Amino acid sequence: MKTQNGLKTIWIVMMSMALLSACSTSDVENAASSPSVNEIVKASTSSAATTSELPAKAEYKEEDTSADWRGENLTPMDLDSHNGPLTLTAAGTYVLSGSLRDGGVIVEVTKKDKVRLVLNGADIHNSTGPAIDIKEGDKVIITLAEGTHNVVSDGTAYADTTDEAPTAAVYSKADLIINGTGALTVEGQYKDGIASKDDLKIVSGTLDIHAVDDALVGRDLLAVKDGAISLEAGGDGLKSTNASAEGKGNIAIEGGAFTIHAGSDGLQSAVSIRVDGGTFDIVAGGGSVNAAAKTDNEPWGRGPRGAAQQRTPATEAAAASTASTDTPSTKGLKAAAVIAVNGGDFRINSADDAVHSNGSIVISGGKMNIETGDDGIHADASLTINGGTLDIAKSYEGIESSLISIAGGEINIVSTDDGVNVAGGNDGNTNAPGLKPDQFAAAGDNKLIISGGALTVNADGDGLDANGSIEMSGGTVLVYGPTGNGNGALDYDNTFLLSGGTLAVAGSSGMAMAPSKESAQATVAMSFSQTQSAGTPVSLISSDGKAIMTITSVKDYQMVLFSSSEVKAGSSYSLTSGNSQLVQFETTGSVTWVNESGVTDAPAGFGGMGGGMRPGGGGAGFGGGGARPEGGQMPKR
């Protein structure tokens, strides 16, 4: 049984999400900093960064963005004339050119000093440590001189392997800034490419980074303003790691063109990710073709056909433990607390979830084209979509969270299991210690709220699946549901209260449901005695001959459902298939079920596995006899 604190947490999140639904895409900046968004983050995150707010844009000082170095007090350094390491111990601007084949460049100034390294056609290699090693200082700016190509590389083994030893070809214990219009190639042959123990900010430049482990690491902050950035990493592409200090551990991206091939996650943040712009081509874990085989997309969460495999807190915990110890995380974007996408153009192909937060996700703009071996977008606590275009072309489940609010945007989902899944707890594959499986698992707490936007779902499992409730007051929802009778186009445990918007559904009949009878907006649902072929339009026609709604299913179906503001109780309608009239009838209430013979109060065969009404009082299945599993109760999926 949930504690009062747990219920209060869910209430706070729900109220915050209701406020969020009023935000337009033009109010991205206000939404990103409003109390409602931050309440969601604080209330719903369960990581070490529980009190963190949605990350702000990174701040850049004039010295960070300025790449004009020629008027400064310069110290030219001809690397060809140096043998062994080159150590810089005073603040200033150093212009590096030529080749330093072994020993690297070391910066060791006071904690108040600032250093600018101008790479002006430099080739720096260190076989036993970092090529550039910033041991101490306030800030170091690496400027890539216009028209130059620079190379830094390390060896496959370091002389210092202690816990605090460097791990990257470019390694800094001070804030590190990279700017300029030149190019830099980094070969991180030991572990990482570029890593800072403080902030790492990339203002501009062309970066080509190859790393055995992570490509770009900023412990406290990893920020990108612009640049052309190509990353090939055995581990993560971009990474922040500080999970213990409030306000730290974030990734903030304003722009840039990214090409990321990561053996693990494309972007991984210890706390939060914020994206306001940029283009991203991300392949994580070899892409969706490398996804682990799924065995739980059978009815009632079965494994291989005929072998029951009910999901429980114990099995989720075992799955999470196995995932965290045996397999790497291979997600596109991953954060422990919150992900905020206000803009950007993404192409993500990931073995695991394309976008994943152990806490919350807020999407207010941008474009995403997703192919994934698991969930398209997954948030353990809450998922809010206020705008943007989401095209999830390949997924196991399309979008999933305990609380999902859709207030705007255009969303297209293709899934081999559920299209939209409202389910409690984490998905058993977060690779994050300390998370409790089914933390928000009570069905009464889980909710799908649709108040705007356009959602199209093509699901082999349930189309809209709420292990809890559904509320719809606006927007347009089109569901091409499953062809198998073990799932339904609509599936909910408690209620589906429909008060506005446009809803059209085509799917199988065995587990079919309609909105609840308490709904304010009327619904018409029809069952067919035989399976109907894909491609034939089915229309709801008013008494004056007007086609109110039409659905043309992309797959075979045995039921259709229509609801809009033009569907009224106590009015006459007909349903047509192509040019043929199927049935004439008069709506009898908020939900009217019909078949080829007309209105039916309890259509023959409804009830799926055993007959009778489904929870919520809105609908029934069509299938056959037999008893429901678990003594007539709908099992949690």
Side-chain angles (χ1 to χ4, degrees):
M1 182 175 181
K2 234 178 217 310
T3 64
Q4 289 298 317
N5 287 338
L7 291 173
K8 182 179 180 182
T9 295
I10 295 298
W11 181 85
I12 291 173
V13 176
M14 289 169 57
M15 291 299 294
S16 299
M17 292 176 69
L19 291 172
L20 269 173
S21 67
C23 298
S24 68
T25 54
S26 63
D27 294 328
V28 166
E29 195 59 40
N30 292 331
S33 59
S34 67
S36 59
V37 177
N38 291 327
E39 283 291 340
I40 288 179
V41 176
K42 291 180 179 180
S44 63
T45 54
S46 56
S47 71
T50 305
T51 61
S52 292
E53 298 184 350
L54 201 67
K57 284 186 176 181
E59 295 181 358
Y60 296 89
K61 297 183 177 180
E62 183 178 354
E63 63 189 14
D64 299 337
T65 58
S66 175
D68 184 8
W69 51 274
R70 293 188 180 275
E72 299 181 13
N73 186 15
L74 307 176
T75 302
M77 307 292 293
D78 183 1
L79 299 179
D80 290 328
S81 63
H82 287 272
N83 294 317
L86 171 62
T87 301
L88 308 176
T89 59
T93 297
Y94 299 87
V95 182
L96 309 180
S97 59
S99 297
L100 182 61
R101 297 313 306 155
D102 204 6
V105 175
I106 298 171
V107 177
E108 191 165 10
V109 295
T110 72
K111 291 184 178 180
K112 296 182 179 180
D113 287 336
K114 297 177 182 179
V115 172
R116 185 192 294 268
L117 299 179
V118 180
L119 301 186
N120 189 31
D123 186 344
I124 306 169
H125 175 75
N126 185 4
S127 62
T128 60
I132 298 177
D133 187 1
I134 302 165
K135 294 183 177 295
E136 192 166 324
D138 174 48
K139 178 188 294 186
V140 173
I141 299 172
I142 295 178
T143 296
L144 308 177
E146 182 180 0
T148 66
H149 179 226
N150 307 276
V151 179
V152 298
S153 59
D154 60 6
T156 58
Y158 279 14
D160 185 357
T161 58
T162 61
D163 290 342
E164 296 299 318
T167 58
V170 178
Y171 186 82
S172 179
K173 290 186 177 180
D175 289 342
L176 178 61
I177 316 297
I178 299 176
N179 65 25
T181 58
L184 173 63
T185 296
V186 178
E187 298 289 345
Q189 302 179 95
Y190 176 59
K191 287 185 180 179
D192 304 330
I194 301 175
S196 172
K197 297 289 286 185
D198 289 329
D199 292 352
L200 172 58
K201 298 179 181 179
I202 298 173
V203 176
S204 58
T206 299
L207 304 182
D208 183 13
I209 301 176
H210 306 262
V212 171
D213 195 6
D214 307 322
L216 292 173
V217 182
R219 181 177 182 271
D220 294 344
L221 171 68
L222 174 52
V224 180
K225 189 174 183 65
D226 202 352
I229 302 170
S230 178
L231 309 177
E232 184 176 354
D236 302 320
L238 288 83
K239 186 174 187 176
S240 67
T241 61
N242 191 344
S244 59
E246 186 171 352
K248 305 289 187 180
N250 299 316
I251 295 176
I253 299 175
E254 293 183 29
F258 297 82
T259 301
I260 303 171
H261 288 259
S264 296
D265 300 322
L267 282 70
Q268 185 195 107
S269 174
V271 180
S272 302
I273 296 173
R274 171 173 176 152
V275 179
D276 291 283
T279 61
F280 303 81
D281 189 343
I282 302 172
V283 178
S288 60
V289 295
N290 283 349
K294 301 297 180 183
T295 60
D296 59 351
N297 61 345
E298 295 297 322
W300 313 119
R302 296 175 187 265
R305 204 171 281 276
Q309 187 176 320
Q310 186 70 28
R311 287 185 179 180
T312 67
T315 60
E316 291 283 355
S321 175
T322 299
S324 63
T325 57
D326 294 345
T327 58
S329 178
T330 54
K331 299 173 172 64
L333 279 66
K334 176 184 172 182
V338 62
I339 295 174
V341 177
N342 301 321
D345 192 339
F346 295 82
R347 294 183 61 86
I348 303 174
N349 190 344
S350 59
D352 201 348
D353 300 346
V355 182
H356 177 104
S357 173
N358 298 349
S360 300
I361 295 174
V362 180
I363 298 175
S364 301
K367 298 179 181 179
M368 288 190 177
N369 290 277
I370 288 172
E371 293 186 12
T372 173
D374 202 355
D375 299 341
I377 302 174
H378 174 100
D380 286 353
S382 65
L383 168 60
T384 303
I385 302 175
N386 291 323
T389 301
L390 308 178
D391 186 3
I392 304 174
K394 178 183 178 182
S395 69
Y396 175 61
E397 292 187 326
I399 61 176
E400 181 178 56
S401 186
S402 298
L403 291 164
I404 298 177
S405 173
I406 301 174
E410 181 179 339
I411 307 163
N412 297 286
I413 296 171
V414 177
S415 65
T416 57
D417 194 33
D418 301 336
V420 177
N421 186 25
V422 179
N426 67 67
D427 65 354
N429 196 18
T430 63
N431 287 341
L435 285 176
K436 299 176 181 179
D438 294 328
Q439 182 173 351
F440 300 92
D445 295 335
N446 302 330
K447 186 169 290 187
L448 169 62
I449 303 170
I450 303 173
S451 58
L455 171 64
T456 301
V457 175
N458 184 342
D460 291 344
D462 297 324
L464 307 183
D465 182 7
N467 294 287
S469 302
I470 302 175
E471 294 179 3
M472 182 174 174
S473 60
T476 301
V477 176
L478 176 61
V479 179
Y480 302 116
T483 56
N485 283 323
N487 291 293
L490 304 177
D491 183 10
Y492 57 95
D493 287 352
N494 296 334
T495 58
F496 182 170
L497 299 178
L498 176 59
S499 60
T502 301
L503 174 66
V505 168
S508 61
S509 60
M511 302 298 293
M513 299 180 76
S516 300
K517 62 184 179 182
E518 297 85 1
S519 294
Q521 181 169 289
T523 297
V524 171
M526 177 174 183
S527 63
F528 296 84
S529 57
Q530 302 292 330
T531 298
Q532 306 297 299
S533 297
T536 301
V538 178
S539 300
L540 178 65
I541 310 296
S542 63
S543 58
D544 61 1
K546 177 184 176 182
I548 296 175
M549 298 178 68
T550 299
I551 187 170
T552 304
S553 182
V554 298
K555 58 176 72 171
D556 292 350
Y557 60 97
Q558 203 171 347
M559 69 84 65
V560 293
L561 180 149
F562 298 100
S563 182
S564 77
S565 60
E566 295 189 61
V567 181
K568 307 294 184 180
S571 299
S572 297
Y573 298 93
S574 63
L575 282 165
T576 63
S577 177
N579 296 320
S580 301
Q581 180 173 287
L582 298 170
V583 62
Q584 287 184 308
F585 59 94
E586 183 174 303
T587 51
T588 57
S590 62
V591 179
T592 303
W593 290 91
V594 301
N595 57 25
E596 286 96 336
S597 300
V599 175
T600 174
D601 292 330
F606 275 56
M609 302 178 68
M613 300 298 288
R614 296 282 294 270
F622 296 90
R628 285 190 186 277
E630 298 188 2
Q633 298 298 314
M634 295 286 291
K636 302 297 184 290
R637 288 165 294 288

